[in-house]
Amino acid sequence: MTASKLESIEQQALARYRHLEKQRQAHPAADPEEMDKMLVRSSVINAQDTLSIERIINKNDLLPIAYLETGTKAGRAVCRTTLRNQNGQIQGHGTGFLVSPTLLLTNNHVLDIREAALYAAAEFNYENDENFAPREISSFGFEPDKLFITDEALDFTLVAIQPVAKNGKKISDFGYLPLLSQKGKVLEGEFVSIIQHPKGGPKAVTVRENEVRFLAPDFIHYVSDTEAGSSGSPVFNDQWVVVALHHAAISDPDDSTEWIANEGIRISSILNFLVEWNSANPHPLLAPLLQGVPDLASSVVPMEMGQLGEEWYSGVSGYDPAFLGEGFNVPLPELMAEVAQDRAPSKDGKPVLDYTHFSIAMSKKRRLAFYTAVNINGSELVDVKRGNDKWYFDPRLDKAFQSGPELYEKNDLDRGHLTRRQDPNWGVDAIRANEHTFHFTNCAPQHKNFNQKTWLGLEDYILKNAETHDLKVTVFTGPVFQENDPIYRDEFQIPAEFWKIAVMKKDGNSLSASAYLQTQRDMIGNLEFAYGEYQTYQVPIIQIEALAHLDFGELKAHDALAGKGTGIAIKQMEDIRL
């Protein structure tokens, strides 16, 4: 690589960095898609890393001790790339890393042509052990005739590597770093780590205080310590997932001896390039690398269409009937015969829609939920900020069975969350759960005064008790569908009543279930003017079953009002009977 080429790369990186700085100064407000990014970020976190959400949201610097061990394992796949001419003379060094059992990733400006790869070597274990003694180096040659893909704009090269080193070591002994295609694996303000061979020396790592400053469509800018020879290094997030390929340092234009940032190429952009390349030139060595990588351009539905792509729902947990513990199974309710045919199945035939920690059964006729069911873990609740209130259609369900903006615009009707926004926001999936509550499947038309007053007080009471006492709680919620519900805008019937059932363990050895009913009938007579009193009642579960046409099975045997003919008015939370 010539000095002029490296200088050009650094100048382009500086130009991008300055452009992003100006954009930030001109538009300091939060990114309107920040919650979308947070949703993806949470999806790539290991469920056992209970500190991760605090690091992302609250900037907690605590790390699990396994972070160090995991980083050491990740570092095995990183090597020094030694560049030689055809006479065997060393021309320079870079860094590279294995991304599949047979392929290595580095920069285009490290290996720009096939001939350069023919004379280069990948040197693994060029590092010191815990006693600062050199380890045995394993040197592998490249096989560019098998596969060599490079792109100057994204400054990457993907090249095949020999399976056996000169000392007999197998390339499989060093593992590889799997690449994830989705964007959002790191967020601005988080920190990254870089495993590298600075100045061609022994392997080193930068950890913490390496803040991500800017994210651009194809590039990421971060403050970190790197040196010549670090080109081609993997850039990791806190979970040691590769987020970028390091390629350039950005010098201060006013002082060439000072560096203001570094730039890497986003892994998602490199994988998108490879997907397109492979579609035109299918290659068997790319299959392990691209396995499971979607064609993002075709699979993601633009946000402005009010719908997320189906990949946003992969691996969601849904409602867990066994959530309260062994021997305390609480299954989903069954639809009674008179409404069973009105269930709106998903496009793949499933009877309910699963989201993060909650599930929903939909009515075709009413285009609203029969019920929602959520698990609340009071010991792991996360305070996720509300964000920009984007609401989405669910692509897994025919849009004809969902009520969208045409119902809620220009009136006093709230998009009333059925599964409350905060309820499923616990554990490492809290951010995804928060976003999942903003689906039209999870809301119902509720007058603003109904949604924000007494009903909210009841929901607060349930959630605060779960949090204060580290309780696990299961909550079912839904509207009451009646034939005489008022018709609005010649299309929608507005439910006049809503119900809720909360289930928890009582004294650790028995179930306690309590049911609630509230009306908004006085409010929706005139949507331009609210009047009249409204109250919440605790009622027997059998009354909810009759009104909602649902069968809760054995749950009614654990009802505090079982056998009572009527309900009791809840004027203060102390009136609730558990």
Side-chain angles (χ1 to χ4, degrees), residues 446-475:
Q446 294 177 348
H447 193 279
K448 63 181 183 181
N449 289 339
F450 172 90
N451 186 32
Q452 297 171 13
K453 293 184 179 178
T454 304
W455 198 240
L456 181 61
L458 174 63
E459 292 174 330
D460 279 340
Y461 178 79
I462 295 171
L463 188 66
K464 286 179 180 178
N465 271 275
E467 185 171 18
T468 301
H469 302 291
D470 288 346
L471 293 176
K472 287 185 174 182
V473 183
T474 284
V475 177

Side-chain angles (χ1 to χ4, degrees), residues 265-276:
I265 305 99
R266 297 179 73 157
I267 291 300
S268 52
S269 297
I270 293 173
L271 285 175
N272 278 341
F273 181 100
L274 293 173
V275 166
E276 291 186 18

Side-chain angles (χ1 to χ4, degrees), residues 170-441:
K170 296 180 181 179
I171 194 66
S172 58
D173 292 340
F174 297 94
Y176 65 91
L177 301 172
L179 304 182
L180 303 182
S181 61
Q182 64 264 51
K183 291 186 177 182
K185 295 181 288 293
V186 72
L187 303 173
E188 291 179 1
E190 279 196 88
F191 299 97
V192 293
S193 300
I194 304 173
I195 299 178
Q196 57 192 292
H197 284 275
K199 294 184 177 179
K203 189 181 296 175
V205 59
T206 62
V207 293
R208 315 312 294 160
E209 299 309 320
N210 309 311
E211 184 179 359
V212 175
R213 290 288 177 82
F214 302 116
L215 293 171
D218 294 322
F219 298 93
I220 174 176
H221 294 104
Y222 41 91
V223 179
S224 184
D225 295 323
T226 58
E227 296 196 56
S230 300
S231 293
S233 302
V235 182
F236 299 93
N237 66 13
D238 272 348
Q239 287 72 46
W240 294 103
V241 172
V242 185
V243 300
L245 170 67
H246 174 74
H247 86 131
I250 302 174
S251 62
D252 188 332
D254 300 321
D255 183 353
S256 60
T257 65
E258 296 292 330
W259 304 93
I260 57 175
N262 287 277
E263 183 179 73
I265 305 99
R266 297 179 73 157
I267 291 300
S268 52
S269 297
I270 293 173
L271 285 175
N272 278 341
F273 181 100
L274 293 173
V275 166
E276 291 186 18
W277 189 96
N278 194 55
S279 65
N281 313 277
H283 198 290
L285 288 183
L286 283 175
L289 177 63
L290 300 180
Q291 184 178 9
V293 177
D295 180 356
L296 296 181
S298 61
S299 65
V300 177
V301 180
M303 296 297 178
E304 57 268 26
M305 295 177 65
Q307 180 171 297
L308 294 171
E310 293 191 28
E311 73 282 353
W312 292 86
Y313 309 93
S314 62
V316 293
S317 56
Y319 171 80
D320 180 7
F323 177 72
L324 296 182
E326 186 176 354
F328 297 95
N329 200 59
V330 183
L332 292 172
E334 295 290 336
L335 270 62
M336 292 183 179
E338 59 267 29
V339 297
Q341 295 302 312
D342 189 37
R343 184 195 296 270
S346 65
K347 291 177 181 178
D348 59 2
K350 293 182 179 179
V352 298
L353 297 167
D354 286 331
Y355 300 91
T356 303
H357 302 150
F358 68 102
S359 298
I360 295 176
M362 293 293 293
S363 161
K364 291 187 289 188
K365 179 181 177 182
R366 298 297 291 262
R367 298 164 61 183
L368 300 171
F370 277 115
Y371 66 81
T372 71
V374 62
N375 303 126
I376 307 173
N377 191 335
S379 66
E380 297 184 22
L381 285 169
V382 177
D383 182 17
V384 181
K385 303 307 177 186
R386 182 156 184 143
N388 298 289
D389 281 19
K390 287 186 180 180
W391 287 82
Y392 307 111
F393 288 102
D394 192 322
R396 301 171 297 172
L397 181 69
D398 193 313
K399 203 170 180 179
F401 303 143
Q402 304 178 62
S403 297
E406 63 275 10
L407 169 58
Y408 299 98
E409 290 177 343
K410 299 179 181 179
N411 54 36
D412 283 338
L413 291 176
D414 278 350
R415 297 172 175 86
H417 280 80
L418 293 175
T419 283
R420 192 185 186 206
R421 183 185 70 85
Q422 297 95 325
D423 286 357
N425 296 352
W426 52 269
V428 296
D429 291 325
I431 299 170
R432 177 188 288 265
N434 180 78
E435 194 75 355
H436 276 180
T437 65
F438 286 91
H439 278 82
F440 288 114
T441 52

